[in-house]
């Protein structure tokens, strides 16, 4: 069984993924290939009209919600520059960062305002004084700074001496609901905020061991951006938050029903080389926000304590309710419930327009999990929002069972309820000695439609029954393309295509044994 220690440097993810995939083609060629597959499988959006009346709870949440608009784009929106892949809108973000540097001017040290990095002194007031009303570049020297929660105004750069050197830690007497670092005004919103080069320690140890670690909605995290336009989080490590390491979010979460999203979402935010562990729910998550870029980042080993024990849906990367236009590039995860989960709760709109280029999952239970909860079964309302996922260069190594979610069987990939999905260039590698209990390694299920899985390899799922299960049928999965897939020393059967062979096209499928 492969084990991955804590000394992983996510800046190496891109070359490592290429090595595992044995990639020789230029990134631009692979991206064009993914686009061509998406063109083959995509169908124009025709969201169903659900006639179910809203519940009283949904009517309440509607007060802070608006309609969810799905962008029916034909292009996946990545641009390749040599071996770097970027969202098409990144130039706008770069221009705003230059403006932020100009506005904030020279560094001011937080120690000038009385902060002490001795691990004992409450420095909350000193940080507040250093921030002022914004327009400042605050330097935090090496040390451990105790605070009771900090709120950043617009036009602020907060810069430390580096991960593990500059540490912000929550005070022992801080309430459980407190977020360590947030923007100052989540209702009216903030803009142009950067956090760079430090460690955020939520100090979960201040709670009793049997206590749940979060209080609900978007509280109890290491860093939350709520209604932030233009944000940057770079080279930041987050430790042991009650809820999330990083939450790019709206003013409040909303559950007003499928087809709605919360008002006050964040937009144009880039997280680069961020890391985290010990989280109560997710490593990084997005809610009701758009144009978010997450790259070269790594999350591992959640505690799952924001959930009931044994039912912890704790993901490394979670693209959640009402999120649109999200890009993930060359990230990694290990020992989480989900490596990357793209999803929504039943009473929210599904994340849509999500694009992945490069992800390495090691020992996650469900390496790649795409679903809209509560919209899967024949008696459920069909999802109005679960559309458009493109993913290329996915690697899942040795998915396993987990104490986080005890009854969840390990899978390399699950696609449930989503339409217009392409997965291109993948390696799904099981452990030949691991007991997969004669189940499947990957599945396309629960009314998923217009799905392409191409140019990849299954290997090592010796004790699974099937590499890929497709639950096709008139009222189930429809219009699936499986192309250029190789099963090597893996499950006894490659594909179970379900009840309707006309809904599944198989091209160039190969099985080999050595």
């Amino acid at each position: 069984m492969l084990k991955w220690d804590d000394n992983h440097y996510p800046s190496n993810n891109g070359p490592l993924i290429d090595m595992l995939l044995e990639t020789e083609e230029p990134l631009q060629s692979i991206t064009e290939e993914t686009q061509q597959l998406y063109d083959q499988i995509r169908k124009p959006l025709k969201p169903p009209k659900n006639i179910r009346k809203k519940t009283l709870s949904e009517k309440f949440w509607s007060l802070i919600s608006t309609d969810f608009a799905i962008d029916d784009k034909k292009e996946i929106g990545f641009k390749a520059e040599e071996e770097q892949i970027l969202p098409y809108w990144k130039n706008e973000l770069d221009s705003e960062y230059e403006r932020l540097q100009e506005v904030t001017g020279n560094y001011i040290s937080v120690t000038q305002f009385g902060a002490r990095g001795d691990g004992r002194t409450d420095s909350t007031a000193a940080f507040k004084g250093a921030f002022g009303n914004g327009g400042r570049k605050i330097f935090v020297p090496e040390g451990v700074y105790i605070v009771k929660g900090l709120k950043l105004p617009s036009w602020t750069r907060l810069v430390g001496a580096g991960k593990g050197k500059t540490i912000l830690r929550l005070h022992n007497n801080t309430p459980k609901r407190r977020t360590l670092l947030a923007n100052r005004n989540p209702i009216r919103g903030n803009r142009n905020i950067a956090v760079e080069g430090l460690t955020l320690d939520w100090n979960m140890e201040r709670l009793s061991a049997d206590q749940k670690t979060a209080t609900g909605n978007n509280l109890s995290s290491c860093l939350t951006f709520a209604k932030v336009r233009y944000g940057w989080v770079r080279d930041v490590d987050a430790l042991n938050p009650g809820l999330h390491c990083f939450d790019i979010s709206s003013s409040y979460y909303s559950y007003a029903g499928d087809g709605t999203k919360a008002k006050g979402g964040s937009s144009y935010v880039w997280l680069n080389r961020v890391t985290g562990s010990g989280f109560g729910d997710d490593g990084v998550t997005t809610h009701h926000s758009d144009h978010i870029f997450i790259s070269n980042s790594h999350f591992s080993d959640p505690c799952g304590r924001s959930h009931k024990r044994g039912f912890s849906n704790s993901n490394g990367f979670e693209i959640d309710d009402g999120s649109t236009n999200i890009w993930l590039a060359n990230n990694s995860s290990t020992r989480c419930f989900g490596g990357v989960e793209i999803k929504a709760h039943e009473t929210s709109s599904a994340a849509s327009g999500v694009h992945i280029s490069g992800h390495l999952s090691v020992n996650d239970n469900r390496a790649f999990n795409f679903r809209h909860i509560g919209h899967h079964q024949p008696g459920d309302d069909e999802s109005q929002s679960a559309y458009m996922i493109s993913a290329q260069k996915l690697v899942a190594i040795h998915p396993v069972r987990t104490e986080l979610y005890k009854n969840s069987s390990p899978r390399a990939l699950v696609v449930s309820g989503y339409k217009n999905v392409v997965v291109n260039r993948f390696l799904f590698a099981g452990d030949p000695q691991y007991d997969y209990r004669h189940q499947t390694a990957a599945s396309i299920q629960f009314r998923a439609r217009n799905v392409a899985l191409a140019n990849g390899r299954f290997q090592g799922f010796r004790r699974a029954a099937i590499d890929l299960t497709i639950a096709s049928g008139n009222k189930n999965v429809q219009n699936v393309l499986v192309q250029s897939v190789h099963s090597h020393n893996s499950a006894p059967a490659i594909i179970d295509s379900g009840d309707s062979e006309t809904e599944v096209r198989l091209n160039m499928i190969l099985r080999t044994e050595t």
Side-chain angles (χ1 to χ4, degrees), residues 115-183:
R116 299 180 64 182
D118 58 8
R120 299 185 303 275
T121 303
D122 183 354
S123 296
T124 307
F127 275 91
K128 185 176 180 180
F131 296 156
N133 291 319
R136 294 180 179 178
K137 185 187 301 180
I138 311 302
F139 177 67
V140 190
E142 188 169 344
V144 179
Y145 298 83
I146 304 302
V147 296
K148 293 182 176 178
L150 302 176
K151 296 184 178 181
L152 299 168
S154 298
W155 300 101
T156 297
R157 284 185 69 197
L158 181 66
V159 183
K163 289 181 182 179
K165 295 180 179 180
T166 297
I167 300 170
L168 305 184
R169 178 176 295 155
L170 274 181
H171 193 286
N172 284 337
N173 295 331
T174 306
K176 183 171 67 173
R177 69 192 302 273
R178 188 66 48 81
T179 291
L180 174 51
L181 193 60
N183 58 295

Side-chain angles (χ1 to χ4, degrees), residues 44-108:
L45 301 187
K46 295 181 180 179
K49 296 295 183 182
N50 296 331
I51 58 175
R52 178 181 63 83
K53 291 184 178 180
K54 284 187 177 293
T55 65
L56 186 61
S57 175
E58 289 171 341
K59 289 178 181 178
F60 168 78
W61 287 112
S62 294
L63 298 174
I64 59 168
S65 302
T66 187
D67 290 340
F68 180 75
I70 303 169
D71 288 332
D72 188 11
K73 287 188 172 68
K74 297 181 180 179
E75 295 78 26
I76 60 178
F78 268 125
K79 62 178 183 178
E81 297 179 357
E82 296 180 352
E83 289 308 302
Q84 198 174 26
I85 195 154
L86 305 166
Y88 68 88
W89 46 267
K90 186 172 173 295
N91 287 344
E92 178 179 350
L93 197 59
D94 292 343
S95 296
E96 289 293 334
Y97 188 75
E98 291 177 5
R99 289 186 65 197
L100 176 63
Q101 289 179 304
E102 292 171 0
V103 169
T104 54
N106 296 325
Y107 282 110
I108 301 172

Side-chain angles (χ1 to χ4, degrees), residues 281-312:
D281 194 5
D282 303 306
V284 61
T285 186
T286 67
H287 294 86
H288 307 285
S289 296
D290 63 89
H291 295 88
I292 312 301
F293 183 32
I294 306 167
S295 60
N296 306 303
S297 297
H298 177 73
F299 294 94
S300 68
D301 302 296
C303 71
R305 284 177 54 190
S306 70
H307 299 271
K308 181 180 177 181
R309 187 171 183 176
F311 295 90
S312 179

